[in-house]
Amino acid sequence: MEKTTHHLNPEDLLSAANQARWELGVNFHDDIIESVYEDATRIARKTVRQKDENAAYRQDLKIDRIITSKWLGFPIMFLMLALVFWLTVAGANVPSGMLASLLIDTAHPWLKAGAAALHMPWWLDGVLIDGAYLSMAWVISVMLPPMAIFFPLFTLLEDLGYLPRVAFNMDSLFRKAGAHGKQALTLSMGFGCNAAGVIAARVIDSPRERLIAIITNNFSLCNGRWPTQILIATIFIGGLVPAAWAGLVSAGAVVGVAVLGIGFSLLVSWGLSKSVLRGEASTFSLELPPYRPPRILQTLYTSLIDRTVFVLWRAIVFAVPAGIVIWLVANVHVGGLSLAEHFIQATDPMALVFGLNGVILLAYIIAIPANEIVIPTILMLTVLSSSLGGLGAGSGVMFELDSIADTAQILQAGGWTVLTGVNLMLFSLLHNPCSTTIYTIYKETHSLKWTLVSTFLPIVLGLIVCFFTAQIWLLLT
Amino acid sequence: MNLPLSLTRFLLLNGPGYMLGYGLLAVAALFWVFWPGKGLWARLSRGHMNTQRVLLEDALKALFDFEYRRHPCELNSLAGNLNISLDKASRLVERLLQMGLISMAGQGLSLTDTGRSYALRVIRVHRIWERYLADETGVAQVDWHHEADRMEHQVSPEATDRLAAQIGNPVFDPHGDPIPSADGELPELRGKPLSQLREGDLGRIVHIEDEPKSIYEQLVVEGLYPGMPVYVTDVAENRITFATDGDECTLTHLFASHITVEMMPGKAPQRSKNALLSSLEVGESAEVAGISPNCRGQQRRRLMDLGIIPGTRIAAEVRSASGDPVGYRVMDTTIGIRKQEADLIFITRKTTSPHEHA
Amino acid sequence: MSTPNTCETCPVHHKANLQKLGLNLDNIDFVLALAGNPNTGKSTVFNNLTGLRQHTGNWPGKTVARAEGAYVYNDRRYKMVDLPGTYSLLSTSTDEEVARNFILFGQPDVTIIVADATRLERNLNLTLQILEITDRAVLCLNMMDETRRSNIEIDVRGLSKELGIPVIPASARRREGMDQLLAAVEEVASGTYVCRPHRIKSHSPKLNRAIANLASKLAVLYPDLPNAQWVALRLLEGDNSIMEAIRSGELGEIGTSVEPAQI
C-alpha cells in the first residue's frame, strides 16, 4: 500500500520511534521531567518573591503537627469518626420515622384501598403494592436519611482537608497488611455505603491495592446494617445486663462489631496480599493539601446529588424486583406450604449448626438488594413460619414494630436465643455485599472473577465465624 | 431422608466438642483445596497447562538467546539450558524440526524465520510481563522472572499488546533487556560481560541475567540494577572490584559474567555516597540528589511530578501518628512519603536554612 | 433556552456580559478545556462560569470522567470541558491520559490553566507541559487572596511575558477576576491575542537529536501538525493514543481545521 510521495509511511515512523527509544536507554523520562522543572524553577525565581516566611504554610503545619501527633492523632480521628456516626444514627431517626409513616403507614394502606376499589386481583395487588412498592418505600425511608447526613458530613471533612491526614496517619497499619494508606478512606466511606466505598477506591493508583480495597470494603459496617445491629444488640445483648447498663452495653456491642469489621478488613487484606494478590505494598505519595474552609451549601448540594441520590437510585432499582420475589416466596404455595416455609424447614437444621436459623438464611438471600430490608423480612418470615396469629401484616408483607419489646417477643417466639442474636450480628457483618455493591464492584473491576470473590469470600468467612461461635458457645453453656 | 438433614442429625448427636473438631477439619480442608499457588485447586489447574507447549516455547527461547549472544547451539547445550535429559532433548529437537521451527546444519541448531518470530513473540510476552510486574505491582524483584515465565505460555500476544499499551509500550524490561516490538524488531546486543572489563574501565550496566535464580538473588542483594554506572577499581585473579554510586562491590568472575556492561567514555562516578531522604529528621532540610533506579514506573514518575527532582529543596516537617510516613515539604506543599520510598531518594545535606525560597 | 438580552443590559449584574448556560451545549462557538493541578480551585472556576455545581474531591484520580458546561459571553457561546486535576501530563495513569488526549485531539480553542498562586513553581510544571501541546492558553492564577498570608508577591506581567500567554490573577472563591478571565479567553479564542507559548529546550543533546529526527519525519507526514515536537516526545514515551492515532490517520486531522469557527 502506497502512502505518501515521500516514501515514508506511518509504520516507518513508529519503527523509527522504537529504534530511538532503544538507543535512548532506560531512564530518559527523568530527563524530560527535569527539564520541565528546570524551566519552571527558573520562571518562578524570576517572577515570584517570597517576602517573608510563608505564614499560611506554617499555620497549616502547626495544625498538622497536632492532628498527626503520636498522642493526639488517633484519638482525634476516632472522635471525629464517632461524631460523624453518632450524628448520622441519631439524626436519621426522626426523618426516617417521618418517611416511614408517610410512605409505609399512610401511602401503603391508601394504595391498598385504591387497588381494592379498582377490583385489582389479589395477587397483582400483592406483587405490586405489598412486594414492589413496599420494598422500595422501605429502602427509601431507611436508607435516605442516614445517607443524606453521612455523605455531606464526610464530604465536609474531605473538603476541609482532614481526610488525607487520616490516610497519612493510618498508612502504616494498612502497609503492614499489604494495602494502601488510602484504603483508610475507602474503609471509612464504606461505613456510609459500601457501593460508595468501592467507587472511592479509584483514588488508589496501584491496581493490586485498589482491588484489595474493593474486596475488603464490605467489612465496613455500612449504614444499612447499623439499624439491624442496634436493634438486635438492644434486644439480646442489652437484655443480658441490668436495664441501667443496657444502653451502654448494647452500644458497646455494636461498636465492637464495627471494630471487628475493621479487623477483618485488615486481616483479609493481609491474607490477599500474601496469596492471590501477592505483592509488597506499593507507593505512597500523598499530598497533604492546605486546609481550606469548606463551602457548606455547595457541599450539601453536591454530596446529595453526586453520592446520595446516585446510590439511592441504584438501591431502588434492585429493591423493586426483590420486593416482588419476597412477596412471591411467601405466597406461592406448593403442597400446602409456601416456598418460604419449604426453604425454612429444609435449611433450619443445617442453619442451627451455624447458630442461625432458616429464616435468617432466607432473609439474607432474598433481601440481597439492601441490608435495610433484612429485619422487616425476618419479622415477616418469622411470623409466617411459626404461625404467630394476629401479628404482622400478612404473608409477604414486610413490617417492623415500633416497640422493641414486641419485636423481641416475635423473635423469641420464633425460637431465637442470645446465640442467634450474636450470630445474626456477626453474619450481618460477614455476608455478601448487597446487590448494589456487587453491581458496583463489577462496574469498577470489569471482572466477573473478582466480583465473585468479593461476593462469596465474606459469606464463607461469615459461616466459619458463626459456626465456631455457635459451637464454642454450646460447649461452654 | 434428605442428606443435609441426616448429616446434621449425625453432627448434632456428637455434641459441640466433636463439632468443633469437624469444623476445624472442614476449614483445614478448605485451605488445602483453595490455598493459592499450592492448594489442590491451583495444582489441578496448573496440570491443565500444556507441558509440551511450555517445553517447546522454552526451547525456542533458549535457541534465540544463543543466537542473540552469537553462541553456537548444539543438542548438548540445549539440553543443559533447559535442564532436561539428552534423550528428551533429541525428541524435542525432532519435533521442532518437523514443525519447521528450527533447522540443523551438522551439529548446530538454528532457528528458522518462523521459529525466530515465534520465539520473539514469547520473549515479548515475557519481558512485558516483567516490566509490568516491576512497574505496576508490588511483586518482589526475585519473583518477576518466575512469574513472567508462567505468563509467557498463558497470555496471548493480543492481551500482552493491550497490557503494553497500558504501561506506555515499554522497550526495556527491568533487567535492561530490550523488548521485541510487536513486529519482531529487536536491537543488536550491546555491551560485554562485566568479567571482561579491566582496571580503570568505566561502563554502565545494561543487563543483569536473571537465571539461575540463586546468582540473580545475590546480585539483587548487592543492589545492582540496569543503568547503574560501574568503575572498575581492581581486577584480581578470580575477583573484580568496582565502584558504583559511591559504594564498592566485589564479585567473583562467575557472578560478574552475569552482568552485561556497556562501555562509557568519561570520568569515574563520584566517590561520595549520598544520604537517604529517610535519614532526614523532622525539622531538617536538604537538597534532592536523585531517585534510585530501583524506584520504577508509575511510582518514580509520581515522585518526580510531585517535585522530587535533583536540586529541589526538601525538608522533613511532620511525622504521621504511627511514625511512618513522614510529611516532607517540597515547593511549599507537604507530601507524605513512606520510609520505604524515602529509602530510594538520595539527598545532599546542606547547611542553609529550610525556609528560604531564593 | 432563549437569550435574554435584559440580562446583558441589566446594570446590577456585575458580569454584564456573562450568561451561565449550565448543561445547555447547543450551537457552541468555542470549546474550552479547563486544566490544573488538584487542589487549585479548578472546579470553583468551572462552577462560577457555567453555573453548574461540580464537586471534585481533592484527590488525583478521582474524577476520571470529564464534566462539561457552557456559558455565553459577548454573544459567543462557549463550551467548557473540565479535565481531571493532575500534577503532570506525562504519566500513564488514566486521568492524565484523559486530560492529555483532550488537549491534543479535542483541539480546544483555548485551554484555561488554573494554578495555585501560592504554589506557583509546582503548578508551572503542568502549565509548561500544556504549553508544549497547545499554543492557545490562558493561565488563571487562582487563590491570589491567599498570597498575602503566604507573604508571596507575583510579577504577573513578567509571568505572562515568560509564558507567552495571558495571566489573570483571580480568587475564584470570592468570584474575583472572573471578568478578566472571560475577556482574556475571548481575546485568545478570537485571535485578538496571539500567544507565543514558552517551549522547553533544555533536554539532553541525545534526546534533542531523537526528538528533532522524529519531528522532521512527522512534519513530512503531517505538515499541518502544530506541535510536532510534543508528538515526537510522546512517541518516544510510547504513548499509545498517539501511536493509534498515527495508525488510524487521526493524527493527520489535527491542525487542519485551522482557525476557530467564526459566527
Side-chain angles (χ1 to χ4, degrees):
Chain A
M1 197 163 66
E2 274 176 63
K3 277 276 177 185
T4 62
T5 49
H6 298 272
H7 307 289
L8 188 70
N9 70 42
E11 285 303 325
D12 292 341
L13 180 67
L14 294 178
S15 161
N18 245 348
Q19 290 298 337
R21 294 179 73 196
W22 277 318
E23 275 157 34
L24 283 171
V26 186
N27 267 331
F28 80 94
H29 178 81
D30 290 13
D31 185 25
I32 299 174
I33 297 202
E34 277 167 29
S35 49
V36 177
Y37 259 118
E38 197 179 300
D39 282 20
T41 307
R42 197 176 46 75
I43 295 175
R45 289 221 169 117
K46 269 194 199 168
T47 56
V48 181
R49 200 163 67 88
Q50 183 80 50
K51 291 180 294 187
D52 197 357
E53 195 195 36
N54 187 336
Y57 183 84
R58 278 289 127 192
Q59 195 184 336
D60 280 356
L61 197 60
K62 255 184 212 153
I63 304 176
D64 271 344
R65 287 203 170 138
I66 296 167
I67 276 180
T68 66
S69 74
K70 203 169 166 188
W71 303 111
L72 289 174
F74 289 114
I76 291 176
M77 189 181 78
F78 285 123
L79 270 179
M80 288 278 223
L81 292 182
L83 186 70
V84 168
F85 293 133
W86 182 78
L87 284 174
T88 306
V89 173
N93 258 337
V94 176
S96 262
M98 279 163 59
L99 276 174
S101 80
L102 177 72
L103 294 175
I104 298 167
D105 300 341
T106 314
H108 182 244
W110 184 80
L111 281 172
K112 292 288 277 187
L118 286 170
H119 301 291
M120 208 185 256
W122 69 275
W123 54 267
L124 187 63
D125 160 66
V127 164
L128 289 183
I129 299 172
D130 292 337
Y133 170 76
L134 201 56
S135 111
M136 183 191 81
W138 221 290
V139 167
I140 293 178
S141 65
V142 188
M143 203 165 177
L144 182 57
M147 285 219 236
I149 298 173
F150 181 85
F151 283 138
L153 285 176
F154 205 78
T155 313
L156 280 179
L157 286 184
E158 183 178 357
D159 286 359
L160 191 67
Y162 182 63
L163 290 189
R165 272 79 184 178
V166 171
F168 182 65
N169 278 341
M170 298 283 282
D171 177 62
S172 98
L173 203 58
F174 284 92
R175 180 174 47 85
K176 281 173 193 145
H180 197 283
K182 287 184 196 163
Q183 193 173 322
L185 299 166
T186 65
L187 185 140
S188 345
M189 186 64 127
F191 281 115
C193 170
N194 295 136
V198 167
I199 294 175
R202 281 182 192 166
V203 300
I204 299 173
D205 290 327
S206 143
R208 187 188 75 88
E209 281 145 41
R210 184 166 162 237
L211 208 48
I212 291 180
I214 289 177
I215 294 172
T216 57
N217 196 267
N218 185 42
F219 297 116
S220 293
L221 198 64
C222 70
N223 262 333
R225 292 181 269 177
W226 285 90
T228 310
Q229 296 285 347
I230 292 168
L231 179 73
I232 300 295
T234 313
I235 294 176
F236 291 99
I237 314 271
L240 292 176
V241 294
W245 293 93
L248 199 65
V249 170
S250 44
V254 176
V255 173
V257 169
V259 171
L260 189 71
I262 299 178
F264 268 104
S265 207
L266 289 168
L267 187 74
V268 172
S269 300
W270 178 81
L272 285 171
S273 66
K274 286 282 170 258
S275 57
V276 211
L277 291 168
R278 195 172 51 229
E280 301 288 312
S282 74
T283 72
F284 179 84
S285 45
L286 175 72
E287 179 183 346
L288 300 181
Y291 291 101
R292 295 207 170 109
R295 306 207 298 166
I296 307 217
L297 284 178
Q298 164 129 14
T299 304
L300 270 175
Y301 175 86
T302 51
S303 59
L304 278 176
I305 297 301
D306 289 359
R307 287 176 176 159
T308 314
V309 173
F310 172 76
V311 171
L312 188 69
W313 172 244
R314 274 198 183 172
I316 290 174
V317 168
F318 284 103
V320 168
I324 296 173
V325 171
I326 291 173
W327 190 86
L328 287 176
V329 293
N331 284 285
V332 175
H333 291 255
V334 178
L337 282 177
S338 64
L339 290 177
E341 284 163 289
H342 277 296
F343 181 91
I344 292 168
Q345 282 181 8
T347 54
D348 223 23
M350 201 66 200
L352 284 177
V353 175
F354 295 99
L356 300 166
N357 59 40
V359 167
I360 297 177
L361 289 190
L362 180 58
Y364 270 104
I365 292 172
I366 56 183
I368 190 175
N371 285 290
E372 282 83 352
I373 55 175
V374 164
I375 284 291
T377 311
I378 283 179
L379 289 176
M380 181 272 284
L381 290 173
T382 306
V383 170
L384 178 79
S385 65
S386 40
S387 326
L388 298 168
L391 277 168
S395 58
V397 187
M398 298 177 285
F399 69 94
E400 241 173 28
L401 298 169
D402 292 336
S403 147
I404 288 178
D406 292 347
T407 313
Q409 255 180 5
I410 292 186
L411 292 179
Q412 270 143 10
W416 287 49
T417 61
V418 178
L419 174 64
T420 325
V422 169
N423 270 4
L424 174 63
M425 287 174 76
L426 289 172
F427 195 67
S428 154
L429 174 73
L430 303 168
H431 72 280
N432 56 285
C434 67
S435 52
T436 311
T437 308
I438 296 176
Y439 177 67
T440 309
I441 292 174
Y442 182 73
K443 290 275 272 188
E444 293 292 309
T445 59
H446 302 293
S447 151
L448 188 63
K449 178 181 154 198
W450 292 116
T451 310
L452 289 175
V453 169
S454 322
T455 308
F456 288 102
L457 184 77
I459 303 185
V460 172
L461 264 177
L463 289 178
I464 291 174
V465 168
C466 284
F467 175 84
F468 283 105
T469 312
Q471 297 309 322
I472 292 172
W473 186 289
L474 291 175
L475 194 69
L476 296 179
T477 50
Chain B
M1 276 303 281
N2 69 14
L3 185 67
L5 207 61
S6 38
L7 182 69
T8 315
R9 197 163 293 149
F10 165 76
L11 290 171
L12 282 177
L13 278 179
N14 285 313
Y18 285 94
M19 288 292 290
L20 275 178
Y22 293 137
L24 285 173
L25 275 179
V27 171
L30 218 63
F31 271 102
W32 182 65
V33 174
F34 288 108
W35 192 252
K38 293 190 181 109
L40 193 63
W41 179 274
R43 261 184 270 170
L44 281 178
S45 49
R46 247 206 313 276
H48 263 288
M49 245 173 70
N50 191 338
T51 45
Q52 278 300 317
R53 192 179 131 197
V54 171
L55 196 59
L56 183 144
E57 292 181 348
D58 283 346
L60 290 176
K61 252 176 41 178
L63 279 162
F64 183 83
D65 199 50
F66 280 113
E67 184 183 290
Y68 191 64
R69 293 179 192 287
R70 300 191 195 90
H71 294 309
C73 180
E74 292 175 8
L75 191 62
N76 273 330
S77 37
L78 183 66
N81 192 294
L82 295 176
N83 204 7
I84 54 175
S85 70
L86 265 177
D87 207 28
K88 206 169 173 187
S90 65
R91 260 177 291 143
L92 180 65
V93 165
E94 195 78 15
R95 229 178 116 225
L96 290 168
L97 282 167
Q98 260 173 27
M99 294 171 78
L101 295 171
I102 62 171
S103 60
M104 207 164 170
Q107 289 297 305
L109 301 171
S110 58
L111 289 165
T112 62
D113 284 347
T114 333
R116 190 172 302 112
S117 78
Y118 192 161
L120 279 166
R121 269 205 310 275
V122 179
I123 291 171
R124 177 170 157 82
V125 176
H126 180 100
R127 292 186 180 166
I128 285 177
W129 267 91
E130 283 194 325
R131 181 89 248 171
Y132 169 74
L133 293 170
D135 284 5
E136 306 285 315
T137 71
V139 173
Q141 189 167 352
V142 290
D143 291 331
W144 295 339
H145 180 74
H146 177 72
E147 196 84 348
D149 252 349
R150 230 159 39 83
M151 301 312 292
E152 70 187 11
H153 308 297
Q154 292 174 4
V155 184
S156 70
E158 293 74 33
T160 307
D161 287 346
R162 278 198 300 277
L163 184 73
Q166 226 182 70
I167 57 174
N169 295 299
V171 290
F172 288 101
D173 79 359
H175 308 292
D177 280 334
I179 298 174
S181 72
D183 307 327
E185 289 175 303
L186 193 67
E188 292 276 296
L189 177 70
R190 301 176 297 166
K192 54 182 176 179
L194 175 61
S195 48
Q196 289 176 11
L197 263 62
R198 295 205 200 101
E199 197 176 314
D201 277 353
L202 178 66
R204 204 165 51 86
I205 298 180
V206 290
H207 170 70
I208 298 175
E209 181 56 41
D210 53 10
E211 286 210 300
K213 200 172 172 178
S214 55
I215 291 185
Y216 180 60
E217 271 172 11
Q218 280 293 323
L219 297 175
V220 168
V221 170
E222 293 287 349
L224 304 172
Y225 50 79
M228 194 179 211
V230 293
Y231 175 66
V232 180
T233 51
D234 185 37
V235 181
E237 195 180 330
N238 190 29
R239 227 173 322 107
I240 180 162
T241 305
F242 53 92
T244 57
D245 286 353
D247 233 348
E248 196 142 89
C249 182
T250 303
L251 293 177
T252 64
H253 276 308
L254 173 65
F255 278 70
S257 67
H258 283 77
I259 297 172
T260 313
V261 181
E262 192 183 39
M263 301 301 286
M264 276 196 320
K267 58 179 173 52
Q270 278 188 354
R271 285 299 200 103
S272 73
K273 191 174 170 143
N274 283 317
L276 301 177
L277 180 60
S278 52
S279 70
L280 215 56
E281 290 296 326
V282 169
E284 290 182 332
S285 81
E287 199 169 87
V288 176
I291 305 179
S292 155
N294 270 331
C295 174
R296 300 179 176 80
Q298 193 80 311
Q299 179 179 355
R300 183 183 190 85
R301 290 175 177 213
R302 177 74 59 190
L303 285 176
M304 297 194 80
D305 288 341
L306 289 170
I308 315 275
I309 43 170
T312 317
R313 291 214 64 77
I314 188 163
E317 295 286 9
V318 60
R319 196 175 279 282
S320 123
S322 45
D324 177 27
V326 169
Y328 296 95
R329 178 181 185 170
V330 184
M331 297 180 191
D332 282 327
T333 301
T334 314
I335 313 278
I337 299 176
R338 281 177 178 165
K339 180 174 183 305
Q340 207 181 329
E341 268 87 56
D343 278 340
L344 298 175
I345 300 170
F346 304 123
I347 51 166
T348 323
R349 284 168 184 275
K350 290 262 169 83
T351 39
T352 35
S353 95
H355 309 305
E356 45 91 54
H357 194 95
Chain C
M1 196 191 265
S2 64
T3 336
N5 288 319
T6 47
C7 192
E8 286 173 18
T9 52
C10 157
V12 279
H13 199 283
H14 69 294
K15 276 165 221 142
N17 303 318
L18 173 69
Q19 185 206 343
K20 298 163 185 178
L21 288 179
L23 285 169
N24 181 358
L25 302 176
D26 302 332
N27 304 318
I28 290 304
D29 299 311
F30 297 113
V31 177
L32 313 176
L34 187 65
N37 282 34
N39 296 313
T40 50
K42 194 163 64 72
S43 43
T44 315
V45 172
F46 179 81
N47 294 343
N48 275 353
L49 297 187
T50 60
L52 290 171
R53 293 184 183 84
Q54 187 70 27
H55 181 267
T56 48
N58 40 20
W59 305 94
K62 185 147 180 189
T63 37
V64 170
R66 41 174 225 234
E68 300 184 350
Y71 67 85
V72 173
Y73 181 74
N74 281 348
D75 292 333
R76 308 269 177 90
R77 298 170 80 90
Y78 294 79
K79 177 172 98 170
M80 191 180 241
V81 179
D82 188 13
L83 302 176
T86 58
Y87 295 107
S88 166
L89 291 179
L90 293 169
S91 286
T92 47
S93 69
T94 327
D95 45 348
E96 295 190 21
E97 198 181 309
V98 168
R100 186 170 61 218
N101 287 351
F102 185 78
I103 300 175
L104 180 63
F105 297 114
Q107 300 187 64
D109 295 300
V110 184
T111 301
I112 303 175
I113 308 161
V114 183
D116 178 350
T118 62
R119 292 166 177 75
L120 188 61
E121 184 178 356
R122 153 183 311 284
N123 283 250
L124 281 178
N125 175 37
L126 181 74
T127 308
L128 292 176
Q129 290 182 26
I130 291 174
L131 293 185
E132 291 288 300
I133 313 178
T134 176
D135 45 13
R136 279 203 294 261
V138 173
L139 180 70
C140 170
L141 207 52
N142 198 14
M143 317 225 169
M144 283 304 284
D145 49 336
E146 288 183 28
T147 51
R148 206 160 52 85
R149 220 162 59 85
S150 302
N151 286 315
I152 288 170
E153 221 172 57
I154 298 177
D155 171 10
V156 175
R157 291 187 55 172
L159 186 61
S160 171
K161 227 163 102 189
E162 285 286 336
L163 295 175
I165 56 169
V167 177
I168 309 299
S171 307
R173 284 173 69 103
R174 303 178 177 186
R175 297 171 187 269
E176 287 167 13
M178 294 297 115
D179 300 345
Q180 292 88 324
L181 180 63
L182 287 167
V185 168
E186 186 190 36
E187 281 182 15
V188 174
S190 60
T192 324
Y193 185 110
V194 181
C195 299
R196 305 252 178 278
H198 175 96
R199 294 272 153 102
I200 289 152
K201 298 166 201 75
S202 54
H203 302 302
S204 71
K206 203 172 163 189
L207 183 56
N208 272 338
R209 266 201 307 281
I211 292 176
N213 177 28
L214 280 184
S216 68
K217 285 194 167 66
L218 278 162
V220 172
L221 273 167
Y222 313 102
D224 293 325
L225 200 65
N227 40 17
Q229 301 271 331
W230 163 262
V231 174
L233 185 72
R234 289 309 299 165
L235 273 179
L236 290 175
E237 293 246 52
D239 185 323
N240 208 59
S241 320
I242 292 189
M243 292 163 83
E244 283 302 316
I246 287 176
R247 290 203 182 96
S248 71
E250 195 192 337
L251 197 68
E253 289 157 26
I254 292 183
T256 44
S257 56
V258 198
E259 277 309 299
Q262 303 288 331
I263 320 145

